Amino acid sequence: MTTETTTTDLTTVKGLMAAIEAPEGQGVEMMDPATGKLVGRAPQRAEADLDEAVATAREAQRSWAARSHAERSELLNRAADAVEDSAEGLAAVLSREQGKPLNGPNARFEVGACAGWLRANAAFEIEPEVLVDDESGKAVLEYVPVGVVGAIGPWNWPMMISIWQVAPSLRMGNTVVLKPSEYTPLSVLALGAVLNQVLPEGVLQVLAGPGELGAALTAHPGVDKLMFTGSTKTGQAIMRSAADTLKRLTLELGGNDAGIVLPDADPEAIAEDLFWGAFINTGQTCAALKRLYVHESQYEAMCQALVKVAQRMPMGVGLEEENVLGPLQNRQQYDIVAGLVEDARNGGARILMGGDPVQDQPGYFYPTTLVADIDNDNRLVSQEQFGPVLPIVRYTDLEQAIAWANGLDVGLGSSVWGTDLEAARAVAARLQAGTTWINKHGAVDPRVPFGGVKKSGYGLEFGVEGLKSVALPKVTSW
C-alpha cells in the first residue's frame, strides 16, 4: 500500500500531485476552499484495501520493532530532512486544499512543525526504569511496542496532527495505518509520500477514503491502538467501536477554551498574543481561545485593543503572500460560524467588527469578527465556533469568571492574562483544563505533554509521556 516515489520529484507541487493523485476520471475531486478551483483527485480506498494495509503493517512491524531506538530515531531524522527538502511543495498543497495561507502561523509553519516534531520524538530518551533493586530481587519497567496503530486525523491541521500521531508511534516500534480526513486527504497523502522516501516499506501507509473507511479502521481486529483527533461525538463512537477488541486509545477531542483577563493586565501589551491565541488558523484549532472573559475595569480598552490588532491582519487566498488569515475549510463549518454570529446579534450582542460576510465572493470566507456585550449563555459562548469569531464577555467578580470558564463539559486548554504572575498562577490552578497557559494561549511544545480533561480527550500526547502512550508497559522481575 505504500506509494512508489523513487522516480518522482517530491519537492514540487507537480511532483507531489503526480505521486498521490487518482487517475483522471477516478477518485473524489478536492476543491480549493478559497477559490473553488480544483486542487486534485483524491483516491478512494475500500475495506479490502484496509485489510491489505493492516496485514502489511503487521508483517512490517516485526522487523521495525527489532530495530533499536537509535536506528528508528535516525530514520525519523532522515524523514525530517525529507520534509524540509519538500517544504515549499508541501506547504502549497496544504494551502490549496485546506485554505490556510502560506504565511503567519499557517501552512509553512505547519510543515516546519512536522519536521520539528519528528526530530523531537527522535531525541527523547526513554530508558528502562529500575523499580526494585535490593536483597529481595530486581524489577525493571520497560516500554515495548503496541503493534499496529490506527490513526485518524482532522482537516484543520492535517499534516501536523498526522505527525503528532505518526512520529511517536514509529519511534516506539509500531507501524501505522493512517486515514486522513475526507476534507484534506491530498495534504496527508503528500506528506506520506515524502516520509515513505525514507521509511521502510509497510511501516507507514496512508489510505484516503470516506468516513466508513475510518469506522472500519476503528473496528479492525488487526489494529492494536487508535489515535484520533476530532470531535467529541466521533471520539465517543470510536470508544464504543474499540470496546470489543479492547484497543488502546488516545483521543484529542473538541474544546471551547476560556481565557480570563485579570484586572491588572495591560490590554495593549497582550492584545496581539490574545488575537493569535484565538485566530490562529483562522480560528480552526481545537485549543484556540474561543471565549474571553475580561474584567469590567479593562473591558472597553481590551475590546478596542483587539479591534486594532484584527484590523491589520489581511484575509484572503492562501497562496497570496500578504495574507495571514484564510477561508473556513468547508461549507458546513462556514454555516456553523455564521449561525452562531447571528444568534449573538439576535441576542443583543454588539458586533465590534466583522459579522457581515460578502455574499458574492468565491470561497468560504467569513470576516474576522469580534463580539462584545454578550451573555455567557449565548450559543456563541457555550458552543465551539471553530472559526474567526471571538466573543468577549464582561465580568465583575473573579469567582464568577472562574465558574463560567469551568462551566462547560469540555476542558482542552485555558489561559490567564495578567502582570502579577503569582495571582495568575493561583487562578490557573483552579481552571479545569488539560493545559492552562499564562499570558499566552495554545503554545504547544513537543517536549510538553498535551491532552484534555472532561469531554476534551483521553490520554496524553507529546514528550516522553506521549511515547509511553503508544507503547505497552512490561515489567521483568527476578
Side-chain angles (χ1 to χ4, degrees):
M1 298 300 299
T2 49
T3 301
E4 177 59 54
T5 62
T6 55
T7 61
T8 304
D9 178 6
L10 297 183
T11 63
T12 66
V13 173
K14 184 178 180 180
L16 287 165
M17 295 303 294
I20 64 172
E21 195 174 9
E24 191 166 353
Q26 298 181 31
V28 172
E29 291 186 342
M30 308 307 301
M31 314 307 287
D32 187 332
T35 65
K37 295 179 180 178
L38 178 68
V39 178
R41 299 173 302 277
Q44 296 294 286
R45 303 303 183 192
E47 199 163 336
D49 299 309
L50 175 62
D51 291 339
E52 181 185 344
V54 172
T56 299
R58 296 202 73 80
E59 178 66 27
Q61 196 270 329
R62 289 195 289 270
S63 58
W64 180 246
R67 294 174 184 254
S68 67
H69 278 292
E71 289 172 322
R72 294 195 295 265
S73 292
E74 171 61 23
L75 282 164
L76 290 185
N77 280 318
R78 287 176 54 197
D81 292 341
V83 169
E84 289 171 345
D85 289 344
S86 298
E88 276 300 292
L90 288 171
V93 171
L94 176 62
S95 180
R96 292 175 62 206
E97 182 179 51
Q98 201 282 335
K100 63 183 65 184
L102 292 171
N103 292 320
N106 293 298
R108 288 180 175 128
F109 169 87
E110 180 168 350
V111 174
C114 290
W117 248 264
L118 285 162
R119 295 194 194 286
N121 278 274
F124 295 138
E125 295 184 5
I126 181 163
E127 301 293 338
E129 300 172 32
V130 178
L131 306 176
V132 174
D133 188 7
D134 58 23
E135 66 280 359
S136 68
K138 191 169 184 177
V140 176
L141 171 64
E142 299 175 89
Y143 287 87
V144 299
V146 178
V148 176
V149 173
I152 302 175
W155 50 259
N156 58 332
W157 294 92
M159 290 184 180
M160 183 174 74
I161 291 178
S162 292
I163 289 293
W164 291 359
Q165 299 167 333
V166 168
S169 298
L170 296 185
R171 166 65 196 280
M172 294 307 290
N174 308 294
T175 52
V176 180
V177 178
L178 172 61
K179 193 270 177 191
S181 166
E182 47 267 49
Y183 287 113
T184 51
L186 296 174
S187 299
V188 182
L189 286 165
L191 177 64
V194 169
L195 298 175
N196 278 328
Q197 295 175 107
V198 171
L199 298 173
E201 186 172 358
V203 167
L204 170 64
Q205 297 167 88
V206 183
L207 276 69
E212 291 80 6
L213 186 66
L217 178 61
T218 67
H220 201 289
V223 172
D224 303 291
K225 179 180 173 75
L226 293 170
M227 302 186 77
F228 170 74
T229 296
S231 72
T232 297
K233 181 179 179 181
T234 303
Q236 291 167 326
I238 287 173
M239 288 192 78
R240 288 190 289 269
S241 177
D244 287 343
T245 51
L246 286 179
K247 289 180 174 60
R248 275 65 180 169
L249 297 173
T250 299
L251 305 175
E252 196 262 273
L253 307 178
N256 193 345
D257 288 13
I260 298 177
V261 178
L262 300 178
D264 69 336
D266 179 348
E268 294 286 341
I270 65 175
E272 186 157 344
D273 287 336
L274 274 170
F275 176 86
W276 282 119
F279 291 93
I280 184 173
N281 195 28
T282 315
Q284 299 167 108
T285 299
C286 293
L289 174 62
K290 299 190 174 82
R291 48 196 174 113
L292 182 64
Y293 297 101
V294 181
H295 189 264
E296 60 182 356
S297 64
Q298 300 279 56
Y299 190 79
E300 290 301 332
M302 191 74 259
C303 287
Q304 292 311 308
L306 282 168
V307 168
K308 286 181 186 177
V309 172
Q311 286 175 334
R312 57 183 174 82
M313 299 296 179
M315 175 182 286
V317 175
L319 295 181
E320 296 172 359
E321 295 279 352
E322 69 273 16
N323 294 320
V324 294
L325 298 169
L328 290 159
Q329 202 284 323
N330 55 78
R331 182 73 204 194
Q332 180 181 6
Q333 196 58 41
Y334 178 96
D335 290 342
I336 289 170
V337 171
L340 290 174
V341 173
E342 283 310 299
D343 271 9
R345 196 194 311 270
N346 294 337
R350 175 166 49 117
I351 309 297
L352 295 172
M353 66 175 289
D356 292 306
V358 177
Q359 298 299 324
D360 59 352
Q361 68 177 359
Y364 304 130
F365 288 99
Y366 196 91
T368 307
T369 300
L370 295 167
V371 180
D373 298 334
I374 186 169
D375 294 332
N376 186 62
D377 60 359
N378 188 280
R379 285 204 317 140
L380 180 58
V381 180
S382 63
Q383 296 186 19
E384 183 182 27
Q385 68 274 47
F386 218 68
V389 181
L390 179 64
I392 309 167
V393 182
R394 187 193 309 261
Y395 76 88
T396 57
D397 177 70
L398 182 58
E399 292 299 314
Q400 180 67 83
I402 293 171
W404 281 343
N406 290 336
L408 302 180
D409 62 359
V410 289
L412 189 55
S414 61
S415 57
V416 183
W417 304 75
T419 55
D420 184 336
L421 206 54
E422 186 175 345
R425 289 178 65 188
V427 174
R430 299 176 62 191
L431 295 182
Q432 297 167 1
T435 301
T436 298
W437 294 277
I438 295 176
N439 292 326
K440 56 186 177 181
H441 195 107
V444 294
D445 185 311
R447 300 166 297 179
V448 179
F450 178 71
V453 300
K454 298 193 274 189
K455 290 185 178 179
S456 282
Y458 189 95
L460 285 172
E461 298 177 275
F462 309 167
V464 173
E465 292 303 315
L467 294 184
K468 292 177 180 179
S469 77
V470 289
L472 297 175
K474 179 179 175 59
V475 174
T476 305
S477 182
W478 64 94

